[in-house]
Amino acid sequence: MKFLAYDAYVLKLIAVVAMVLNHIAIGWAEILPLGVILPLYAVGGLTYSIMAFFIVEGYRHTSDLKKYIGRLLIFGVVAQAFHPMILGDTAILPLPFFNIMFAIALALVVLFLYDNVKSRVLFWLLFVVACILSLIMDLFIVSVLVPLLYHSIKTESRRRTVPGVVMGLFFILSGAMIAAPAWAMYAAGDYAALQEFAATAGAMSEYLILAVPTFGLGALLGAVLIRNFNDERGKRSKWLFYVAYPAHLAILAGIGIALGVVSASLFGFAF
């Protein structure tokens, strides 16, 4: 149906808006009720399931992969100045890490290796190394796995659906694993142990138990949207994500400082 078909510009715009909402939920979690955080955090799941598709499209059509990766790294360095204030050491994300621009650059390297390393054994060894490196980057292993799936799956209908579904199930299942101890205590009626678990985890228990699976639901929605991509470019949007990523982090950090929920810093160093 025509009204359910989306061009590249619309999908990228949806992904950017979802990203901003997700980062509001993370960076301002201290002042937002859980009922607001959960839906804002959930929609963020569709961002990478959409953007990873266009990362692969960009890889396939770029005339200069080095410049493509170089642009990502330049904007990644700029974004990293503000990234720790919004996405590092928060109630939802307790550890600082490198932003998604670096993860995308790593994913592009993986795609290049997939196409150019003749030995499959060697490629998968290198892929494992990339996965290890991704553990200090945004979205962790998912950041390199999802683009590889978009690139390697041959049947177009499956290529548009499977990666987002895999991403969604990853976060739903990992969220369930994180929540499993609390659920087991509740089912067994061991409320004393449950209270001790909650006290130890603090606010993290609510965010990890509830937010991670909802993020997976967002990724599944992203798969639905990509499935309905109409193969049209729409408005020119080459620089949309490049500019929006560091810009929105800077704006959210500035507002967060004004609200008193973010400590002023650059690259994680307070001033």
Side-chain angles (χ1 to χ4, degrees), residues 36-61:
V36 172
I37 289 174
L38 289 180
L40 294 183
Y41 190 77
V43 296
L46 65 83
T47 297
Y48 199 67
S49 58
I50 291 175
M51 293 308 301
F53 177 83
F54 291 108
I55 289 165
V56 173
E57 294 301 293
Y59 168 78
R60 291 179 172 183
H61 295 98

Side-chain angles (χ1 to χ4, degrees), residues 65-111:
L65 182 60
K66 291 181 180 178
K67 287 185 178 180
Y68 188 6
I69 293 175
R71 287 193 299 271
L72 287 165
L73 294 178
I74 290 171
F75 280 90
V77 170
V78 175
Q80 195 66 30
F82 313 102
H83 183 268
M85 286 189 279
I86 299 300
L87 297 173
D89 196 20
T90 69
I92 296 178
L93 299 170
L95 298 174
F97 48 91
F98 291 101
N99 67 68
I100 195 64
M101 293 292 196
F102 294 98
I104 294 172
L106 179 62
L108 290 172
V109 172
V110 169
L111 298 183

Side-chain angles (χ1 to χ4, degrees), residues 157 199 243 270:
S157 60
V243 175

Side-chain angles (χ1 to χ4, degrees), residues 85-264:
M85 286 189 279
I86 299 300
L87 297 173
D89 196 20
T90 69
I92 296 178
L93 299 170
L95 298 174
F97 48 91
F98 291 101
N99 67 68
I100 195 64
M101 293 292 196
F102 294 98
I104 294 172
L106 179 62
L108 290 172
V109 172
V110 169
L111 298 183
F112 176 81
L113 293 174
Y114 179 84
D115 287 340
N116 292 278
V117 174
K118 295 181 179 180
S119 169
R120 289 294 88 180
V121 173
L122 177 58
F123 167 75
W124 289 115
L125 288 175
L126 294 172
F127 178 74
V128 170
V129 172
C131 287
I132 293 172
L133 290 175
S134 74
L135 295 177
I136 59 172
M137 300 178 186
D138 198 356
L139 289 183
F140 316 114
I141 294 174
V142 169
S143 65
V144 294
L145 174 61
V146 173
L148 181 60
L149 290 174
Y150 274 125
H151 185 56
S152 60
I153 296 174
K154 304 305 180 183
T155 304
E156 186 64 16
S157 60
R158 293 178 182 175
R159 184 176 86 90
R160 295 192 181 193
T161 305
V162 171
V165 171
V166 169
M167 179 177 169
L169 292 177
F170 174 86
F171 283 106
I172 290 171
L173 294 176
S174 61
M177 290 176 63
I178 292 170
W183 291 342
M185 295 170 195
Y186 181 81
D190 192 351
Y191 301 114
L194 182 60
Q195 289 179 346
E196 183 178 351
F197 172 81
T200 301
M204 288 296 297
S205 61
E206 294 178 332
Y207 295 124
L208 289 177
I209 291 172
L210 298 175
V212 175
T214 63
F215 189 82
L217 295 177
L220 295 178
L221 175 58
V224 174
L225 295 177
I226 285 296
R227 178 83 177 194
N228 288 291
F229 174 46
N230 63 10
D231 295 308
E232 296 180 6
R233 184 174 67 178
K235 296 180 181 179
R236 296 184 65 86
S237 56
K238 177 179 178 180
W239 297 98
L240 177 63
F241 188 75
Y242 287 108
V243 175
Y245 190 75
H248 92 282
L249 288 176
I251 293 170
L252 293 182
I255 296 174
I257 292 171
L259 293 174
V261 296
V262 172
S263 298

